[in-house]
Amino acid sequence: MEQWITQFMEQYGYWGILLMIAVENLFPPIPSEVILTFGGFMTTNTGMTVPGVIAFATAGSVGGAVILYGIGLLIDVERLERIVDRYGHILRIKREDIRRADAWFDNYGYWTVLFCRMVPLVRSLISIPAGMSNMRFGLFLLFTTIGTLAWNTILVLIGAALGDSWEQVLYYMDIYSNIVYAALAIGAIAIVVLYIRKRRKSQSS
């Protein structure tokens, strides 16, 4: 996949970067690290510029995020509540749990979107709950753009600085990704454990 991505970018330049990044948002297994660092490297041996690569990459990222935000709007919390009413007993989830999660996202969603745009895998998927909670589109767009611009700028600059050795950064990005995934897994387990304990405590009382 990595070779195919780089060949596509070499053939189509800025527009290839924009399209690849947009697709990466919709299909997270496509590695943005490869696209962005190779895009930075391309500025050292083509007529492409660092600001140009960053601009087109950011436009593609935001475009993909908007599509996922729209998907979240189609799902919406009310529809999710109906699904929980029907199947929630299997996972021991109630309508109230969905409402609490939605209220939390209403309070902290903007900052969550901002920081999650710099977290592998989650950076794409975070747009869906933003849409589900009906986050104000203008603010969603603002925080998504800021977070995306920061992520893209860092990786493109690293790719440009490393030049022919741009692939070296992929090793360190794998380490970063694994640390993030481990932290997310631990956090998810902790939330589940606390939730179960709280449910048991409320049932016993």
Side-chain angles (χ1 to χ4, degrees), residues 5-23:
I5 291 172
T6 55
Q7 289 176 347
F8 187 89
M9 291 169 59
E10 286 179 326
Q11 183 174 356
Y12 295 103
Y14 287 130
W15 293 105
I17 292 173
L18 186 149
L19 182 59
M20 281 289 96
I21 284 290
V23 172

Side-chain angles (χ1 to χ4, degrees), residues 101-155:
D102 183 52
W104 184 91
F105 207 89
D106 286 342
N107 291 326
Y108 306 105
Y110 300 115
W111 297 109
T112 302
V113 168
L114 174 63
F115 291 112
C116 282
R117 291 303 300 182
M118 293 175 278
V119 177
L121 186 62
V122 180
R123 64 187 301 271
S124 301
L125 301 178
I126 193 62
S127 301
I128 296 178
M132 290 176 60
S133 66
N134 291 302
M135 178 182 290
R136 289 173 57 187
F137 182 72
L139 289 176
F140 165 78
L141 205 59
L142 174 63
F143 281 84
T144 295
T145 301
I146 294 173
T148 298
L149 184 61
W151 174 263
N152 291 352
T153 299
I154 291 170
L155 290 182

Side-chain angles (χ1 to χ4, degrees), residues 180-198:
V180 170
Y181 296 153
L184 291 174
I186 293 172
I189 293 172
I191 291 173
V192 171
V193 170
L194 291 173
Y195 173 76
I196 292 174
R197 286 181 177 177
K198 185 176 180 180

